């Protein structure tokens, strides 16, 4: 079905968060029919592939990352037939489809977990998950001190079939998301079959959720310090964490890869929050993942030295094992970069921003995020775009508590508001109900007033708009095959506060701070500057692409 093109080395991959992209049936939650109806606009944007956050059967306790049937679509989003129609449309538009696999945990409503609850301790059914006896005289204390990423303990005690309190099960996330036991061959077989199910259906690959959490240290030792983060460590040389980035995962990576290699030209990308690029690079050795998200890049501020360093480290680290680097600035778990970049200091990943927090500088966020995007999209490798960022969409930072949905909010009694602010249904039309997200005006999270300014209809065809900027950058990137190009730093074109690199004949020049700089001669291919009258100077926090 796919030619052996290794398309993933250079692809621009657009993340669709199905709940919030487009709502065909008007119930306030996005769905597959809605998405199919809007795929043309993604083709016009110029992306190569879409990655769908989960649309599988799920009680939706963690917005679909709690899967109760990996081989079916949740009725909220449609049916397998709707998926096939969407896939056919995407394929006809030249867009590949990547789905999200969630192998670290299932929903507590999954048939396997329900069977485990009904079975006895030490049974084959219980062994599919991480059940343990509690500590204390009557097993009343959790088996160890691990905390959930969403806050609170990572263990929940169950009632045994005889009605008495009994064993505990592990859940690195919400209590509705029990962790699988990946030491058990039956778990591995189960997921081989899930991978094949979607590969047979024609997907181009997978984004693999919490890939770095699947193996836990033997004996489940206490953790030194609970940080409730996806990396668990802040120091670069921190000792191995008992549930993040264990060495045993590489064997699972290789097993997944073998299944993908039974098919032509499919790819998988790991969601692995590893503390250093060195460690990430081990995940993309030739027989493991094709790609891994470069979260070091996502976490790098708009700063000349830091950006240059992370780009060098990425190209060197991933290049050394023959893998492309990926680049990403936003996704459904982090504060949107149009808002992040309007802060001097941002809250920790996953914590979000609420109405009582210091509010962002919107104009600064817009300015810097446009520049940061133009800097990123010139880099060789594969880039990820999160739905709405092509509109410059900011985070919704004033969602009232009564609308909150993220389990983080509930598990921390509102102390950490969580990730809802980046998940709000996106605006298509400025003057329609729910900004064109649907026809009824329903929306599972409230949309902010500012969407009038950011709606696609407001920006389409408007010179200097963020949408037109993205289109232009993606077009030049494709025309000059920059995804497969080579980065060469160009100090001869930059000054003390600016940074330039060339890639396949295009100079990408960024001015970070201070006064305007003079641009070198050449054909202006793209610019973040909205004042197009003064073409020969580049102001601070602006980026140009020039054909030399
Ligand atoms: C990472 C996903 O991106 C996030 O949204 C989810 O809550 C956790 N994994 C648990 O599946």
């Amino acid at each position: 079905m796919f030619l052996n093109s290794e398309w993933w080395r250079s692809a621009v991959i657009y993340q669709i968060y199905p709940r919030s992209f487009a709502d065909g049936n008007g119930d306030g939650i996005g769905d597959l029919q809605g998405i199919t109806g809007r795929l043309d606009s993604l083709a016009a944007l110029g992306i190569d592939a879409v990655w769908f956050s989960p649309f599988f059967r799920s009680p939706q306790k963690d917005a679909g990352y709690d899967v109760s049937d990996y081989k079916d679509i949740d009725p909220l989003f449609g049916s397998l037939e709707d998926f096939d129609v969407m896939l056919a449309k995407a394929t006809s538009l030249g867009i590949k489809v990547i789905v999200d696999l969630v192998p670290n945990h299932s929903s507590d409503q999954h048939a396997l977990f329900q069977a485990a609850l009904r079975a006895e301790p030490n049974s084959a059914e219980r062994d599919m998950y991480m059940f343990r006896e509690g500590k204390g005289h009557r097993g009343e204390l959790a088996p160890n001190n691990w905390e959930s990423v969403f806050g609170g303990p990572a263990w929940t005690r169950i009632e045994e079939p005889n009605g008495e309190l009994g064993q505990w099960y592990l859940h690195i996330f919400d209590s509705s998301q029990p962790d699988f036991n990946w030491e058990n061959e039956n778990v591995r077989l189960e997921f081989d079959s899930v991978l094949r199910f979607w590969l047979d259906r024609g997907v181009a690959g997978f984004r693999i959720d919490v890939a770095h959490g699947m193996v836990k240290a033997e004996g489940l030792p206490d953790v030194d310090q609970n940080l409730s983060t996806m990396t668990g460590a802040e120091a670069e040389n921190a000792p191995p964490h008992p549930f993040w980035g264990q060495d045993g995962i590489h064997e699972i990576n290789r097993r997944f890869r073998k299944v993908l290699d039974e098919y032509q030209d499919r790819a998988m990308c790991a969601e692995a929050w590893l503390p250093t690029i060195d460690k990430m690079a081990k995940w993309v050795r030739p027989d493991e993942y094709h790609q891994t998200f470069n979260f070091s890049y996502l976490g790098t501020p708009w700063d000349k030295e830091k950006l240059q360093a992370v780009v060098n480290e990425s190209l060197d680290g991933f290049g050394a094992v023959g893998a492309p680097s990926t680049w990403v600035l936003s996704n459904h778990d982090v504060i949107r970069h149009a808002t992040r970049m309007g802060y001097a200091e941002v809250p920790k990943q996953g914590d979000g921003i609420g109405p009582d927090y210091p509010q962002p500088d919107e104009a600064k966020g817009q300015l810097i995020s446009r520049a940061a995007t133009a800097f990123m999209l010139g880099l060789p490798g594969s880039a990820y775009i999160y739905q709405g960022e092509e509109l410059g969409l900011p985070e919704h930072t004033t969602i009232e508590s009564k609308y909150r949905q993220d389990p983080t909010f509930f598990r921390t009694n509102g102390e950490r508001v969580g990730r809802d602010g980046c998940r709000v249904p996106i605006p298509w039309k400025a003057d329609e109900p729910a900004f064109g997200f649907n026809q009824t005006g329903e929306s599972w999270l409230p949309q902010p007033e500012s969407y009038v300014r950011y709606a696609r209809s407001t920006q389409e065809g408007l010179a200097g708009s963020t949408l037109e900027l993205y289109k232009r950058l993606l077009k030049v990137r494709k025309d000059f095959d920059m995804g497969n190009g080579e980065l060469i730093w160009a100090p001869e074109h930059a000054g003390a506060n600016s940074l330039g690199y060339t890639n396949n004949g295009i100079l990408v020049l960024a001015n970070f701070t201070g006064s305007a700089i003079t641009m070198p001669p050449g054909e202006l291919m793209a610019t973040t500057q909205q004042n197009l009258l003064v073409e020969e100077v580049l102001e601070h926090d602006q980026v140009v692409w020039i054909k030399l």
Side-chain angles (χ1 to χ4, degrees):
M1 180 175 184
F2 301 113
L3 298 175
N4 207 21
S5 62
E6 299 205 329
W7 55 273
W8 43 272
R9 288 188 174 276
S10 58
V12 174
I13 301 171
Y14 184 97
Q15 179 187 358
I16 289 186
Y17 195 67
R19 297 176 76 88
S20 300
F21 186 74
D23 176 17
N25 67 6
D27 66 355
I29 299 181
D31 50 42
L32 284 167
Q33 289 193 3
I35 293 167
T36 305
R38 298 271 193 205
L39 282 178
D40 291 312
S41 62
L42 296 187
L45 183 60
I47 49 107
D48 302 300
V50 286
W51 144 38
F52 284 85
S53 279
F55 40 43
F56 315 106
R57 259 190 203 269
S58 157
Q60 303 290 318
K61 291 279 169 55
D62 183 22
Y65 283 94
D66 49 319
V67 180
S68 56
D69 183 348
Y70 291 86
K71 296 181 181 170
D72 202 2
I73 304 283
D74 196 278
L76 260 187
F77 302 116
S79 62
L80 282 168
E81 289 66 43
D82 292 328
F83 173 83
D84 291 340
V85 171
M86 183 279 296
L87 179 63
K89 174 87 189 280
T91 307
S92 75
L93 293 169
I95 297 174
K96 294 185 167 59
V97 169
I98 295 168
V99 296
D100 210 319
L101 186 77
V102 189
N104 178 69
H105 48 265
S106 70
S107 156
D108 59 356
Q109 299 308 307
H110 194 288
L112 288 170
F113 191 73
Q114 287 298 313
L117 289 180
R118 285 193 304 270
E120 298 295 315
N122 304 319
S123 57
E125 289 87 346
R126 288 264 166 110
D127 195 50
M128 296 292 278
Y129 291 88
M130 305 287 291
F131 282 90
R132 292 292 184 277
E133 298 299 329
K135 286 186 179 160
H137 290 311
R138 288 175 306 281
E140 72 279 16
L141 302 174
N144 69 21
N145 73 348
W146 296 0
E147 280 181 10
S148 150
V149 172
F150 297 156
W155 294 93
T156 291
R157 196 171 189 191
I158 64 159
E159 195 176 282
E160 296 291 348
N162 65 9
E164 285 177 15
L165 281 176
Q167 289 196 306
W168 298 69
Y169 66 89
L170 176 69
H171 50 87
I172 297 297
F173 295 92
D174 187 49
S175 55
S176 63
Q177 295 166 295
D179 281 49
F180 277 113
N181 170 21
W182 274 88
E183 305 297 338
N184 184 331
E185 176 64 14
N186 286 329
V187 170
R188 299 184 182 209
L189 286 169
E190 182 74 24
F191 277 92
D192 290 349
S193 139
V194 173
L195 287 169
R196 289 199 182 93
F197 176 86
W198 290 103
L199 290 165
D200 288 340
R201 235 176 163 97
V203 303
F206 301 92
R207 175 265 189 191
I208 310 245
D209 188 66
V210 204
H212 64 314
M214 286 192 275
V215 173
K216 281 78 183 177
E218 211 178 321
L220 312 184
D222 278 356
V223 61
D224 288 345
Q225 198 192 358
N226 271 300
L227 291 171
S228 284
T229 63
M230 292 290 278
T231 48
E234 260 149 24
E236 293 217 340
N237 50 2
H241 189 280
F243 58 85
W244 294 139
Q246 288 282 312
D247 277 347
I249 307 176
H250 292 288
E251 196 184 309
I252 303 173
N253 298 349
R254 293 192 181 100
R255 181 163 178 148
F256 285 172
R257 178 64 182 253
K258 277 212 176 99
V259 175
L260 263 78
D261 284 350
E262 292 167 12
Y263 299 76
Q264 244 190 340
D265 216 19
R266 314 296 167 99
M268 56 180 193
C269 177
E271 189 218 14
W273 295 77
L274 300 162
T276 61
I277 288 175
D278 258 13
K279 291 208 168 87
M280 288 180 206
K282 290 205 170 128
W283 282 58
V284 286
R285 288 176 292 193
D287 57 349
E288 299 194 37
Y289 279 88
H290 300 78
Q291 300 183 334
T292 187
F293 288 116
N294 189 342
F295 292 123
S296 297
Y297 189 80
L298 186 150
T300 304
W302 179 241
D303 172 282
K304 179 184 160 176
E305 278 78 28
K306 290 186 178 139
L307 264 181
Q308 187 166 28
V310 74
V311 168
N312 281 336
E313 227 189 300
S314 306
L315 294 175
D316 292 351
F318 294 120
V321 291
S325 184
T326 62
W327 313 104
V328 61
L329 287 168
S330 280
N331 65 33
H332 66 294
D333 289 329
V334 303
I335 295 164
R336 284 181 174 278
H337 71 284
T339 294
R340 227 169 52 226
M341 297 193 164
Y343 277 97
E345 250 181 68
V346 273
K348 164 159 93 49
Q349 186 276 318
D351 285 6
I353 298 170
D356 305 333
Y357 293 39
Q359 291 298 302
D361 178 337
E362 184 177 344
K364 182 175 168 205
Q366 289 296 312
L367 180 73
I368 300 186
S369 62
R370 285 162 54 96
T373 297
F375 186 86
M376 175 181 92
L377 288 177
L379 296 169
S382 174
Y384 279 80
I385 294 177
Y386 176 48
Q387 68 177 36
E389 71 165 83
E390 76 276 24
L391 306 174
L393 220 58
E395 185 88 356
H396 189 344
T397 54
T398 55
I399 297 178
E400 288 174 65
S401 298
K402 64 178 182 201
Y403 297 116
R404 291 278 168 197
Q405 308 262 347
D406 186 343
T408 308
F409 179 81
F410 301 103
R411 292 183 62 86
T412 62
N413 291 322
E415 195 185 309
R416 294 158 59 196
V417 295
R419 302 158 295 174
D420 297 319
C422 62
R423 300 175 171 181
V424 175
I426 60 172
W428 293 88
K429 303 223 163 107
D431 51 4
E432 287 196 4
F435 300 102
F437 170 60
N438 57 24
Q439 312 261 298
T440 59
E442 296 291 318
S443 175
W444 70 282
L445 284 172
Q447 298 165 301
E449 287 301 314
S450 65
Y451 271 17
V452 175
R453 303 195 293 280
Y454 292 100
R456 194 166 299 251
S457 62
T458 311
Q459 301 192 40
E460 201 98 62
L462 184 70
S465 71
T466 299
L467 178 61
E468 293 303 325
L469 173 68
Y470 269 74
K471 284 191 198 160
R472 181 70 191 153
L473 295 170
L474 292 177
K475 177 161 188 340
V476 179
R477 181 182 168 88
K478 185 151 287 168
D479 288 351
F480 287 81
D481 198 18
M482 293 166 81
N484 290 307
E486 189 192 353
L487 174 140
I488 300 169
W489 294 111
E492 68 279 16
H493 293 301
N497 297 327
S498 51
L499 186 60
Y501 63 83
T502 60
N503 179 2
N504 278 357
I506 301 294
L507 170 71
V508 175
L509 185 61
N511 186 4
F512 286 79
T513 51
S515 43
I517 57 171
T518 309
M519 289 189 215
E523 188 183 342
L524 186 67
M525 302 303 286
T527 176
T528 58
Q529 304 208 107
Q530 280 163 316
N531 177 2
L532 297 173
L533 295 176
V534 202
E535 277 190 9
E536 49 305 324
V537 295
L538 185 64
E539 303 287 345
H540 66 84
D541 300 316
Q542 303 284 359
V543 172
V544 275
W545 290 18
I546 294 172
K547 185 173 162 220
L548 293 175

